Amino acid sequence: MTSPVAKAVIPAAGLGTRFLPATKAQPKEMLPLVDKPAIQYVVEEAVRAGIRDILIITGRNKRSLEDHFDRSFELEFYLEKAGKHDELKEVRAIAEMADIHYIRQGEPKGLGHAVSVARDHVGDAPFAVLLGDDIMAERVHALEDMLAAYERLGRSVIALKPVQPAEVGSYGCVRPEAVEPRVVKVLDIVEKPSPEEAPSNLAVIGRYVFTPSIFGALERVQPGRGGEIQLTDAIGLLLEEGVYGQIFEGGRYDTGNKLDYLRATVELALERPDLGPELRRFLDDLLGRGGGTGES
Ligand code: G1P
């Protein structure tokens, strides 16, 4: 069965100020998690969910991102000559996994503005948005579940995760009404509320499936928090049409955040058959020797 959602948009124009100095001269989306740049995990997630048409919203300083998903004839030539067939296959596969398009945001006017520049490419069809900073573990099947919910409900679907009250101020936060197991109707949404203002502890994480009405809503919103065009405010206008939330408990990393980046690196490496067993022994050894707190 083909999903009606054929296109994905990945906003990747942010400056990466939370990860300086590593992001001074390279895009944060190119920081590696184990041996792959973060953005490759996001593209692979879209491809796994059956989406091959991907638009990446970039900005200045992001050229290495385009190079990463392009053919690299020189590298391929030398790998072939050296008989490194596995590496050659891997490098070629990156350039072939999807049809990737790029558009520059121009000015950093906020996440909502970044999504709005995708309008001509997306056209009058539902589409997915995957934030380049957020990595979802493969086992969670986040986008697949959201596409299935979109097909059942015919309305926009956003990904949600329960967070500690002290953390709500880092996220969009919703007032939910239970609908199905792990699916809620969104009754209200607020960008980065204080713990007192927060309508619940359900936070928006970086996966969205939108009806094309989001573009009209983005046109209507005024600059919001931080003077930026907020995607959350446009979702607020979409509530009239109906917006659902799909709840995920774990398996999400915000790689723009240093501690989460370390967590993601360790967890993803532990899951790898080629690295996991030895890394686990190393960690046990390190913590067992009193090199750490020993707490998880
Ligand atoms: C953005 C959104 C926010 C969402 C978050 C998820 O915030 O504005 O609503 O909860 O992504 O990662 P940012 O992290 O870009 O500040």
Side-chain angles (χ1 to χ4, degrees), residues 16-286:
T17 46
R18 286 188 298 160
F19 224 112
L20 283 167
T23 48
K24 186 176 171 218
Q26 66 172 333
K28 58 178 171 173
E29 295 81 8
M30 287 302 291
L31 294 178
L33 289 162
V34 190
D35 53 6
K36 272 194 270 188
I39 186 97
Q40 191 178 328
Y41 288 91
V42 181
V43 169
E44 286 174 352
E45 183 189 340
V47 171
R48 267 200 311 277
I51 301 181
R52 276 191 56 92
D53 181 320
I54 295 170
L55 177 69
I56 304 186
I57 316 289
T58 67
R60 272 180 289 284
N61 226 345
K62 304 271 182 175
R63 201 161 302 149
S64 57
L65 233 141
E66 297 184 29
D67 289 341
H68 182 72
F69 291 106
D70 198 357
R71 295 291 296 272
S72 173
F73 292 108
E74 200 177 307
L75 177 62
E76 290 175 28
F77 173 81
Y78 285 109
L79 290 174
E80 185 142 39
K81 218 170 127 195
K84 301 198 166 184
H85 301 295
D86 290 347
E87 289 83 350
L88 180 64
K89 221 170 116 197
E90 183 162 20
V91 161
R92 280 206 180 129
I94 296 169
E96 285 164 5
M97 75 173 107
D99 297 323
I100 306 191
H101 310 265
Y102 302 89
I103 189 166
R104 284 195 178 198
Q105 189 184 357
E107 284 172 81
K109 289 199 273 187
L111 179 60
H113 178 252
V115 172
S116 75
V117 305
R119 187 174 199 161
D120 284 348
H121 182 88
V122 167
D124 192 22
F127 66 106
V129 172
L130 296 87
L131 300 193
D133 269 353
D134 287 17
I135 305 289
M136 300 297 294
E138 210 171 314
R139 64 186 150 80
V140 179
H141 305 294
L143 194 54
E144 283 103 316
D145 287 0
M146 293 172 71
L147 292 176
Y150 172 80
E151 287 192 45
R152 280 197 315 279
L153 303 161
R155 296 287 182 271
S156 297
V157 180
I158 63 180
L160 300 172
K161 160 191 147 143
V163 298
Q164 297 300 322
E167 293 175 307
V168 286
S170 305
Y171 297 95
C173 184
V174 306
R175 183 150 62 87
E177 179 185 82
V179 173
E180 295 175 1
R182 313 176 67 73
V183 175
V184 296
K185 183 155 201 240
V186 177
L187 302 181
D188 193 11
I189 184 163
V190 192
E191 180 67 2
K192 307 204 168 104
S194 65
E196 301 76 52
E197 287 166 336
S200 76
N201 72 332
L202 279 181
V204 179
I205 52 177
R207 297 293 180 271
Y208 311 79
V209 176
F210 287 123
T211 64
S213 324
I214 192 72
F215 292 120
L218 281 165
E219 235 170 43
R220 283 184 283 143
V221 288
Q222 297 299 313
R225 216 186 151 84
E228 297 188 336
I229 301 291
Q230 294 289 351
L231 184 58
T232 296
D233 295 343
I235 298 171
L237 297 181
L238 266 196
L239 297 182
E240 242 174 46
E241 176 186 277
V243 173
Y244 291 89
Q246 174 98 39
I247 302 172
F248 300 97
E249 301 281 343
R252 176 255 183 193
Y253 310 101
D254 173 6
T255 57
N257 167 307
K258 292 178 189 177
L259 190 59
D260 247 22
Y261 176 84
L262 290 172
R263 279 195 195 113
T265 305
V266 173
E267 279 200 39
L268 291 168
L270 284 173
E271 280 169 16
R272 288 259 300 247
D274 56 338
L275 300 168
E278 209 164 323
L279 178 63
R280 188 175 300 278
R281 274 196 296 279
F282 165 75
L283 291 173
D284 285 346
D285 202 26
L286 180 75

